[in-house]
Amino acid sequence: MTSGTQRSNDIDRQTRRMAELLVTPSWLLIVVIFAVPILVAFYLSFRNETLGTFVPGHFIGLQNYTTALTDARFWESIGTTCLLIVMGLVVQIPLGVALALLIEKNLPGTQIFRTALMVPMLLTPVAVGLIWRFMFDADLGIINWALGILGVQGPNWLGARWPALLAVTIVDSWQSIPFIMLTILAALIGLSKGPAEAAAIDGANTFQIFFYVTLPSLQKIILLIVMIRIIDSLKMFDLIFIVTSKGGPGTATQTLGMLVYNTGFGFFQTSRAAALGVLMVILVSPIYWLWRRAAREQ
């Protein structure tokens, strides 16, 4: 018996060593792709490196961080980022839940409707941005043309701050709502029908069943979706870059990620852009931790 146990332990150790050996190339690839750029950015953030100049940089300590934290553009970009997050969540969560409830009823034509809703999620953000940019054109766009037929004067969507923020929210919601809808739909399918049926027998109407039975059961999955959407919104870059031409008009839609890009590749201030990137990672880390915790509980 002891000999058999020893042999089993030896096999387990050999299997574990083989598994570690097979996983090692993947870990090395992850280190090269993710860890090395982060360490290089952290190193650059303490220097005054600048692209397009032959003057060698030198160590300047925390100067890039103090400059960023005292720059009005930094706080403005954080405000714009938070505003887009709030606007997106207000639109996307209710519509995603409503569409999931509608599809869960399995009405005639549901399969075609669900397939059509999947299309935006399958398109690349660059293609989506180009399509909507032409649609939002103040003179030739189909949106203002449709509003004109209804007798409404369409705004200059990409020429003023609030219309541009609304345009970005519309585009982001159009592409993100299908993901929310599918996630909520999967949760609805997995819910037990017993509590809802018991509430209906007790005389509860449809709205009471939703708000007091269904919605509390979806609380954790909705929280998880909110965390995912916040992280996605914080790192949203391509849609804003294409739709608003690098955060325009001016800096009206310049998020924190867009500020990092404009600082590094617009003004060629490499070290300052690296410091902004490090600050961005610091801001995202608590949200990522909450997302991981919510995912484990789910």
Side-chain angles (χ1 to χ4, degrees):
M1 186 69 176
T2 304
S3 176
T5 303
Q6 181 65 32
R7 189 180 303 110
S8 177
N9 292 335
D10 292 340
I11 294 175
D12 290 341
R13 281 194 294 269
Q14 292 176 2
T15 303
R16 190 180 302 110
R17 282 196 294 268
M18 179 58 68
E20 292 173 352
L21 182 63
L22 293 174
V23 171
T24 299
S26 299
W27 278 110
L28 291 175
L29 184 63
I30 291 174
V31 169
V32 171
I33 293 177
F34 293 101
V36 171
I38 291 175
L39 292 176
V40 171
F42 188 73
Y43 168 76
L44 287 175
S45 67
F46 294 101
R47 299 176 62 83
N48 67 337
E49 302 287 348
T50 304
L51 290 176
T53 179
F54 296 101
V55 179
H58 59 276
F59 181 80
I60 58 174
L62 298 175
Q63 183 176 333
N64 287 321
Y65 291 96
T66 56
T67 301
L69 293 174
T70 55
D71 188 355
R73 294 179 304 166
F74 174 74
W75 297 106
E76 181 185 354
S77 66
I78 289 181
T80 301
T81 303
C82 294
L83 186 59
L84 285 174
I85 290 173
V86 173
M87 292 173 66
L89 291 176
V90 168
V91 173
Q92 295 162 16
I93 299 299
L95 285 179
V97 173
L99 289 173
L101 290 170
L102 181 63
I103 292 177
E104 198 257 345
K105 299 297 182 183
N106 201 21
L107 300 173
T110 297
Q111 296 298 328
I112 298 176
F113 183 60
R114 180 164 55 182
T115 303
L117 285 175
M118 290 283 292
V119 173
M121 192 172 63
L122 302 177
L123 298 176
T124 62
V126 174
V128 171
L130 287 172
I131 292 170
W132 281 92
R133 182 176 178 178
F134 288 121
M135 292 174 64
F136 280 123
D137 188 273
D139 299 320
L140 304 175
I142 191 174
I143 294 179
N144 279 1
W145 173 79
L147 291 175
I149 292 178
L150 299 175
V152 179
Q153 178 65 37
N156 185 2
W157 290 97
L158 305 179
R161 173 176 171 80
W162 286 105
L165 289 172
L166 181 58
V168 172
T169 302
I170 292 172
V171 178
D172 183 42
S173 300
W174 184 76
Q175 193 169 30
S176 302
I177 285 176
F179 163 75
I180 299 173
M181 180 268 295
L182 288 176
T183 307
I184 297 294
L185 180 61
L188 286 172
I189 294 174
L191 290 180
S192 173
K193 304 299 181 183
E197 293 174 353
I201 293 174
D202 290 338
N205 56 38
T206 303
F207 292 100
Q208 290 173 331
I209 292 174
F210 172 73
F211 284 107
Y212 295 105
V213 179
T214 306
L215 191 58
S217 301
L218 297 174
Q219 183 177 358
K220 289 185 178 180
I221 191 65
I222 291 177
L223 177 61
L224 182 61
I225 292 172
V226 168
M227 294 298 174
I228 294 174
R229 289 303 306 142
I230 290 176
I231 294 174
D232 286 343
S233 298
L234 283 171
K235 62 185 181 66
M236 181 169 57
F237 173 83
D238 33 22
L239 280 181
I240 298 176
F241 185 91
I242 298 297
V243 174
T244 66
S245 298
K246 304 180 183 179
T251 59
T253 57
Q254 181 174 255
T255 59
L256 186 54
M258 188 59 63
L259 177 63
V260 174
Y261 172 84
N262 288 333
T263 302
F265 296 97
F267 299 104
F268 303 112
Q269 297 173 342
T270 311
S271 293
R272 190 170 297 178
L276 289 170
V278 172
L279 291 174
M280 186 174 178
V281 171
I282 293 173
L283 291 174
V284 173
S285 296
I287 302 173
Y288 175 76
W289 178 80
L290 291 173
W291 170 67
R292 294 290 299 174
R293 182 176 179 180
R296 284 196 300 268
E297 292 179 356
Q298 183 64 28

